[in-house]
Amino acid sequence: MLAKLIQTVRPSAVTVIFLAIATGSSGLSLATHARELGEIEIGIVEDQTGESLVTRVQLLDSKGRAMRIKGARFARGWNLVEGPLLYRGRAGNYRYQVFHGPQFSAGNGGFTLHDDGAGSDTLRLQRHANIADEGWRGADLLARGVPDLVRPWLAAEDLDLAVIVDEQTAAEQEVPDAESFVLQPTASPADAAWVEHGSYHDTRPGSGLVLHHWLPPAEVPVDLPSSRLLVMSKQSVVPAGGLPVHNEIQRLWARDVPVWLASGHVDSIQILSEHLTRDGTDATKFTPYLEPDPGRFRGPRGPGRLIEYLYWQVLETGLRIPPSAGSGYGKGNSPLGYNRVYANTPHLSPNYWWLALKAGNSFVTNGPLLRARVNGYDAGSILTVPRGQAEFHLDVTLTLTTSDPVEYLDVIFNGKTLYQARLDEYAKQGGVIPPLQVTESGWAVVRVVTEREHTYRLASTAPFYIEFDGRARISRSAVRFFQDWLAKATKELASDAESAAAAAPYLAAADMFWTQRLSEATAD
């Protein structure tokens, strides 16, 4: 969307909502007859309406062991509870945690069971946001498993879409027809949620693409260039009723990244992916193919900060590719939707959602909910500066909902901090951000980074773009970085004659692209 210039002098408003933690302490009433096991029933409801919620529950005994709740689905220590928590077990002390997505307070509490006792309690979770009313719909674009087993978790995570990727080749499976891309939507359009399958995850060495709504027509040879899959997917005919192909870079650290970027066939980049997990463990470990700044990205937050930095380098080359997110559910220990992307669309349908994501009207998160606008425009917009005007003011407004302690809020412009503040300080001052001034073309993202030290937990908008004199920003240093990356990849592939021959056309095209890009650079 092309945004027109809006002049404003009013300060930016920041609406901050801190989520409280609901707690419960369930006392047991003695039963009138003896029991071999104690029983407890805890109703889990929305505080404002009293309606029962579908939740993700972890129940631990006194030794810290995860307990299965009868009748509930169980995965990696978590129970999917549809209605009240009903548990019958041995005498002892128990603790529980209850989650229903980032729009609700989390709940925790404990109870003691006796052999001859039974009790009941109610846990009320407060809703602190209803971003569906604002047009936001959340998705996890990297899940694994059987669709019918994944779909029930959508309600527990307050998630609208899960995409199941397949790492098998088409020779080992049947290609789903158009109707099977969307499975079992709920009956009510206002609460519709869906699971998609039929997306190919290319995990071969040097690759890391997710090709949504497309499967290769035959078994993929080991030496087939990954860029060939990009071309094939985009040349495929979308069947009647099917969804358009949407290609993602899932591994932004992979060898073939500069070739993919040069192809023009990349629709989004997963900047929150399997390298970030809820508790910081069982994350995908990786070594960047080309280290941008040796020694800089270390510690538990290092992988997340590195991928974010690489994404910023993509933006610095003038490419306008929105971010996305996927949790890797079904492989790691993160729950479905831990890493998620929200896209904004007034029309609730899969096709419109994917179009909104491609347009960059979105934000990514693994914690806070961050909705921001610049000069009244949504992320993905281009803000044009009238010719001859030397300065441009950015008026940032945002609404933030978070249960995590926030370290800082900032606005990044062309990879550097344009504005930063500790959120608690500005919350006390009414949450006012002064108008920000820029004097050159570029891109901006609004971020909230939490204080979690064991992992990189944050929310970030997709970029806003600012153009002076109708020119986009292209950084020479960023282009040269990807040229160096491409040179290293070319040298590696040259060591195998067969691989080199197959990749040669794509490497040559990428070299021409980056050479041309360098000649068009507008900034250092």
Side-chain angles (χ1 to χ4, degrees):
M1 176 176 66
L2 182 62
K4 296 182 179 179
L5 171 65
I6 292 182
Q7 294 183 338
T8 178
V9 295
R10 65 183 177 84
S12 303
V14 180
T15 303
V16 184
I17 303 172
F18 293 97
L19 272 62
I21 303 297
T23 59
S25 179
S26 303
L28 297 178
S29 59
L30 293 178
T32 57
H33 58 281
R35 301 175 184 270
E36 293 183 0
L37 301 173
E39 292 184 358
I40 183 74
E41 176 176 336
I42 302 175
I44 305 172
V45 301
E46 181 178 342
D47 184 51
Q48 292 88 332
T49 66
E51 294 182 0
S52 180
L53 296 173
V54 180
T55 55
R56 172 169 52 90
V57 177
Q58 185 177 63
L59 179 63
L60 303 177
D61 67 7
S62 59
K63 295 182 179 180
R65 295 175 299 192
M67 298 288 102
R68 290 175 177 261
I69 297 173
K70 185 177 181 180
R73 297 176 186 268
F74 187 81
R76 292 174 171 78
W78 294 94
N79 295 273
L80 175 65
V81 177
E82 301 176 274
L85 188 164
L86 301 171
Y87 183 70
R88 190 166 184 253
R90 297 179 181 277
N93 296 320
Y94 295 82
R95 300 290 300 175
Y96 58 82
Q97 289 183 297
V98 179
F99 295 91
H100 185 62
Q103 299 187 82
F104 285 77
S105 297
N108 60 66
F111 56 84
T112 299
L113 287 186
H114 299 284
D115 287 340
D116 58 351
S120 63
D121 199 357
T122 299
L123 181 68
R124 310 183 75 88
L125 302 184
Q126 290 187 340
R127 175 190 281 274
H128 294 277
N130 192 347
I131 62 176
D133 286 351
E134 305 168 24
W136 295 103
R137 299 287 174 174
D140 183 337
L141 301 186
L142 190 70
R144 299 176 181 86
V146 178
D148 287 343
L149 298 181
V150 172
R151 185 183 176 278
W153 290 94
L154 289 173
E157 303 298 346
D158 200 17
L159 199 65
D160 299 288
L161 165 63
V163 175
I164 296 176
V165 299
D166 207 318
E167 297 171 8
Q168 292 180 314
T169 61
E172 299 169 305
Q173 62 180 329
E174 293 183 3
V175 178
D177 56 26
E179 288 74 18
S180 68
F181 279 123
V182 181
L183 299 179
Q184 302 180 22
T186 56
S188 171
D191 299 318
W194 68 97
V195 173
E196 295 178 9
H197 74 118
S199 294
Y200 181 64
H201 190 196
D202 185 17
T203 59
R204 295 173 302 148
S207 189
L209 292 167
V210 177
L211 311 177
H212 294 292
H213 317 136
W214 184 82
L215 293 173
E219 184 174 357
V220 178
V222 174
D223 60 351
L224 182 75
S226 58
S227 293
R228 175 60 181 157
L229 296 178
L230 283 176
V231 174
M232 292 171 64
S233 65
K234 286 297 186 178
Q235 290 179 343
S236 63
V237 177
V238 178
L243 295 171
V245 171
H246 182 103
N247 292 332
E248 284 200 303
I249 296 177
Q250 186 265 322
R251 296 177 179 173
L252 192 52
W253 59 84
R255 180 195 64 204
D256 296 344
V257 164
V259 187
W260 301 334
L261 294 175
S263 73
H265 295 317
V266 174
D267 299 306
S268 58
I269 297 173
Q270 285 194 12
I271 67 171
L272 306 183
S273 195
E274 292 177 298
H275 60 284
L276 296 174
T277 60
R278 178 178 178 271
D279 60 5
T281 65
D282 203 25
T284 297
K285 293 179 172 55
F286 67 92
T287 300
Y289 192 74
L290 188 65
E291 181 70 65
D293 190 353
R296 176 179 174 183
F297 302 101
R298 296 292 181 263
R301 288 182 166 189
R305 292 176 59 240
L306 172 57
I307 294 303
E308 183 180 53
Y309 176 83
L310 292 176
Y311 174 65
W312 291 354
Q313 293 306 297
V314 173
L315 298 177
E316 281 287 272
T317 68
L319 295 175
R320 294 175 175 176
I321 304 175
S324 68
S327 68
Y329 173 79
K331 182 179 180 181
N333 61 9
S334 288
L336 184 69
Y338 171 67
N339 298 319
R340 59 179 67 189
V341 54
Y342 284 89
N344 192 283
T345 172
H347 305 288
L348 182 57
S349 75
N351 194 54
Y352 278 106
W353 189 91
W354 285 100
L355 288 174
L357 175 63
K358 186 175 181 178
N361 190 356
S362 58
F363 69 90
V364 297
T365 182
N366 50 23
L369 297 175
L370 174 64
R371 293 88 79 200
R373 308 188 91 193
V374 173
N375 293 4
Y377 286 91
D378 297 322
S381 298
I382 302 172
L383 283 68
T384 57
V385 182
R387 289 188 179 276
Q389 184 170 313
E391 299 178 353
F392 187 64
H393 294 284
L394 305 181
D395 178 27
V396 180
T397 58
L398 63 89
T399 300
L400 171 66
T401 307
T402 180
S403 60
D404 292 296
V406 171
E407 183 174 350
Y408 57 84
L409 157 73
D410 64 7
V411 179
I412 301 297
F413 182 68
N414 295 342
K416 298 180 180 179
T417 302
L418 182 64
Y419 169 85
Q420 186 177 99
R422 291 191 61 85
L423 199 61
D424 55 353
E425 299 171 359
Y426 277 79
K428 293 176 182 177
Q429 298 173 10
V432 176
I433 300 176
L436 307 174
Q437 178 179 297
V438 297
T439 58
E440 61 178 338
S441 295
W443 54 271
V445 297
V446 184
R447 295 189 309 167
V448 170
V449 178
T450 75
E451 293 181 349
R452 303 300 183 191
E453 294 292 340
H454 63 279
T455 188
Y456 194 45
R457 188 169 296 170
L458 77 159
S460 175
T461 67
F464 300 81
Y465 303 101
I466 297 92
E467 287 189 357
F468 281 77
D469 299 323
R471 301 177 67 193
R473 173 183 173 85
I474 301 176
S475 163
R476 291 182 184 86
S477 60
V479 172
R480 286 172 178 148
F481 173 71
F482 286 106
Q483 284 183 312
D484 291 343
W485 192 326
L486 178 64
K488 182 179 179 181
T490 301
K491 184 177 180 180
E492 177 188 327
L493 290 167
S495 63
D496 181 271
E498 191 170 349
S499 296
Y506 304 100
L507 294 172
D511 182 64
M512 290 179 59
F513 172 85
W514 291 114
T515 299
Q516 178 66 25
R517 207 72 173 174
L518 186 62
S519 70
E520 298 169 349
T522 60
D524 293 334

